[in-house]
């Protein structure tokens, strides 16, 4: 099979995918599933969609799973699916954070590739243990930082790489929401994300802060060397932070900022990245994902829109679905993510070597980096100091 550096290999069939979590009442499971379906590379054939047996079976019927492949326990699912000739080839983990590590280990133990929601784990030790297991097994392990699969985020990354901005001088990223303004950790209706045992020791930084730091690293190509973080509660009282402001120091001494809040009134999904170089500043806004703003010194602002040609890089072109004027959205980004996961898993299982740079999906190393970032942020807030945030030491 001939594979070019700019094209994904054609699939001979869809891969078989299973889910753990994501049943009735869970938003993110449907988001994952819709992305997988739109990619046209997956058939969802099995699941342990809830830890509640009744809800698991009811959810399985909604997802049109065969009765004997709708499980009530992920351990049972891993054992049964690995024994089938038509068993799943990958599992998507869309559970509360504290379950990511044990579920991933159960499926890696039986040779099944893993796709996990973020943050990867609740502790760095768990994350490093998973990374070690992945290296030993050689399995594909993807982490769903879906925003970096937006076409124009990929375009921004290529523009930085080819020097359109010049030498990087500043990096700023923010992510604002308001859904937790009136949310408290008191009472029976408190969300699991405010339960330290299930969520881990950080609320907003672990949830949307990891998206922001990954986006900044992904596009800039620079790692975060150190950070200085201040945590706040600006909504209803809660033990964990709902807002955080950070100073960042990237490789090469490049300064930056990161601001996140889930109690910013009037904000829905305000993820914005600005990268400033010696020649120009590039900006991307998740709520207007179809365009990039390029502001060069001494020149009018240039708006770059998504579509074929007109400066789009090959790495961008291969992810396009619609021509200009026909909007794509976050669902398409999820589809791009699941497309790249499928290409990687199909290649691993078929013993095919892919061209360098063909895929840019977030790996387990990115997941480890995210957990390290969370732990560094917590330590910085507690000690009121700059804290090292060395990354990629798990590779």
């Amino acid at each position: 099979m001939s594979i070019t550096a700019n094209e994904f290999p054609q699939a001979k069939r869809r891969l078989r995918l299973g889910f753990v979590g994501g049943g009735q009442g869970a938003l993110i499971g449907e988001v994952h599933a819709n992305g997988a379906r739109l990619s046209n590379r997956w058939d969802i054939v099995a699941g342990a969609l809830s830890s509640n047996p009744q809800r698991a079976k009811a959810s399985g019927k909604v997802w049109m799973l065969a009765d004997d492949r709708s499980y009530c326990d992920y351990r049972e699912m891993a054992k049964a699916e690995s024994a089938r000739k038509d068993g799943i080839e990958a599992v998507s983990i869309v559970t509360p954070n504290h379950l990511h590590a044990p579920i991933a280990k159960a499926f890696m133990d039986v040779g099944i590739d893993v796709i996990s929601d973020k943050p990867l784990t609740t502790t760095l030790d768990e994350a490093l243990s998973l990374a070690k297991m992945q290296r030993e097994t050689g399995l594909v392990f993807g982490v769903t930082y879906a925003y970096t699969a937006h076409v124009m985020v990929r375009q921004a990354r290529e523009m930085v790489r080819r020097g359109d901005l010049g030498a990087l001088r500043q990096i700023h990223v923010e992510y604002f929401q308001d859904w937790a303004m009136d949310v408290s950790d008191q009472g029976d209706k408190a969300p699991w994300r405010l339960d330290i045992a299930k969520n881990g020791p950080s609320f907003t930084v672990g949830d949307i802060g990891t998206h922001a730091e990954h986006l900044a690293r992904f596009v800039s190509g620079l790692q975060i060397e150190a950070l200085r973080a201040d945590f706040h509660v600006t909504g209803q009282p809660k033990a964990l932070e709902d807002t955080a402001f950070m100073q960042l120091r990237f490789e090469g001494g490049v300064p930056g900022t990161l601001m996140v809040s889930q109690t910013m009134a009037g904000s829905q999904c305000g993820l914005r990245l600005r990268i400033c170089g010696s020649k120009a500043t590039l900006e991307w806004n998740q709520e207007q994902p179809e365009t990039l703003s390029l502001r060069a010194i001494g020149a009018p602002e240039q708006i770059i829109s998504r579509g074929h040609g007109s400066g789009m890089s090959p790495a961008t072109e291969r992810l396009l679905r619609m021509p200009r004027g026909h909007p794509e959205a976050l669902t398409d980004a999820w589809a791009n993510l699941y497309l790249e996961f499928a290409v990687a898993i199909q290649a691993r299982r078929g013993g095919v070597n892919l061209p360098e740079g063909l895929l840019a999906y977030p790996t387990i190393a990115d997941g480890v980096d995210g957990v390290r970032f969370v732990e560094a942020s917590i330590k910085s807030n507690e000690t009121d100091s700059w804290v090292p945030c060395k990354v990629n030491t798990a590779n």
Side-chain angles (χ1 to χ4, degrees):
M1 177 173 55
S2 175
I3 302 172
T4 71
N6 294 326
E7 296 178 354
F8 295 124
Q10 185 172 349
K12 295 181 180 179
R13 64 173 179 84
R14 297 188 186 94
L15 294 171
R16 297 181 293 274
L17 180 64
F19 271 76
V20 178
Q24 291 178 332
L27 167 67
I28 199 63
E30 284 290 343
V31 172
H32 279 254
N34 288 339
R37 294 176 184 121
L38 182 58
S39 76
N40 198 32
R41 293 288 184 120
W42 298 96
D43 285 325
I44 301 171
V45 297
L49 302 181
S50 173
S51 58
N52 178 290
Q54 289 74 34
R55 189 177 298 123
K57 290 298 182 184
S59 299
K61 291 185 181 299
V62 172
W63 285 41
M64 293 182 283
L65 303 180
D67 287 343
D68 66 337
R69 303 186 78 174
S70 183
Y71 303 92
C72 300
D73 184 272
Y74 70 85
R75 291 169 290 258
E76 174 194 358
M77 176 179 165
K79 181 179 179 181
E81 288 296 319
S82 64
R84 296 178 65 118
K85 290 183 178 180
D86 63 347
I88 62 171
E89 290 151 302
V91 63
S92 288
I93 303 170
V94 292
T95 64
N97 302 340
H98 71 298
L99 294 173
H100 292 177
I103 295 170
K105 287 179 179 178
F107 283 88
M108 283 197 287
D109 271 338
V110 294
I112 294 173
D113 295 290
V114 174
I115 299 165
S116 177
D117 207 2
K118 41 58 54 192
L120 178 62
T121 59
T122 58
T123 71
L124 183 56
D125 285 344
E126 279 187 325
L128 292 171
S129 177
L130 284 184
K132 180 176 183 289
M133 190 173 183
Q134 184 275 326
R135 290 194 303 273
E136 291 171 347
T137 61
L139 294 168
V140 172
F141 196 123
V143 181
T144 53
Y145 291 109
Y147 297 115
T148 53
H150 271 291
V151 166
M152 295 311 284
V153 170
R154 297 296 178 93
Q155 177 65 18
R157 183 177 189 241
E158 293 302 310
M159 291 173 68
V160 170
R161 283 183 166 189
R162 70 191 186 201
D164 290 9
L165 309 188
L168 298 191
R169 298 289 173 80
Q170 299 179 44
I171 301 169
H172 304 282
V173 62
E174 63 186 45
Y175 196 166
F176 295 139
Q177 300 175 336
D178 70 0
W179 73 269
M181 179 71 78
D182 296 320
V183 173
S184 172
D185 53 10
Q186 303 299 309
D188 296 336
K189 294 184 178 180
W192 67 262
R193 289 192 180 278
L194 293 179
D195 182 344
I196 294 175
K198 294 181 179 179
N199 179 77
S202 166
F203 172 35
T204 295
V205 171
D207 185 13
I208 62 175
T210 50
H211 276 303
E213 67 87 20
H214 181 258
L215 178 67
R217 290 191 296 106
F218 181 85
V219 176
S220 71
L222 300 179
Q223 302 292 356
I224 301 170
E225 291 191 333
L227 59 82
R228 168 70 177 79
D230 285 314
F231 287 9
H232 304 273
V233 175
T234 64
Q236 287 295 312
K238 52 184 74 71
L240 298 176
E241 88 290 348
D242 58 31
T243 299
F245 305 128
M246 302 186 200
Q247 293 173 273
L248 307 176
R249 186 166 63 245
F250 290 84
E251 290 174 296
V254 176
T257 61
L258 184 149
M259 300 188 295
V260 290
S261 179
Q262 290 171 308
T263 55
M264 177 71 79
S267 297
Q268 283 75 52
C269 198
L271 175 59
R272 181 170 67 155
L273 175 67
R274 286 169 289 177
I275 297 185
C276 172
S278 58
K279 297 178 181 178
T281 293
L282 188 65
E283 180 173 336
W284 179 77
N285 185 339
Q286 200 279 147
E287 291 187 345
Q288 287 98 38
E290 296 276 272
T291 59
L292 293 172
S293 169
L294 181 66
R295 295 186 292 275
I297 296 173
E301 179 181 16
Q302 181 181 357
I303 302 299
I304 305 165
S305 60
R306 180 202 51 77
H308 293 285
S310 298
M312 294 295 106
S313 71
T316 301
E317 288 265 4
R318 61 176 171 255
L319 293 173
L320 289 170
R321 289 184 170 77
M322 302 293 288
R324 285 186 175 88
H326 298 76
E328 294 183 4
L330 182 56
T331 302
D332 295 273
W334 278 96
N336 291 337
L337 197 62
Y338 269 89
L339 169 59
E340 290 194 320
F341 290 152
V343 171
I345 291 169
Q346 189 84 62
R348 186 196 72 78
R349 289 178 171 268
V352 176
N353 292 321
L354 297 173
E356 184 178 354
L358 181 68
L359 302 177
Y361 68 88
T363 68
I364 193 168
D366 294 294
V368 172
D369 293 347
V371 179
R372 184 179 285 109
F373 162 78
V374 173
E375 291 203 353
S377 302
I378 293 170
K379 183 177 180 181
S380 174
N381 176 69
E382 291 174 345
T383 60
D384 191 25
S385 65
W386 281 87
V387 171
C389 188
K390 301 298 183 182
V391 295
N392 282 335
T393 58
N395 289 341

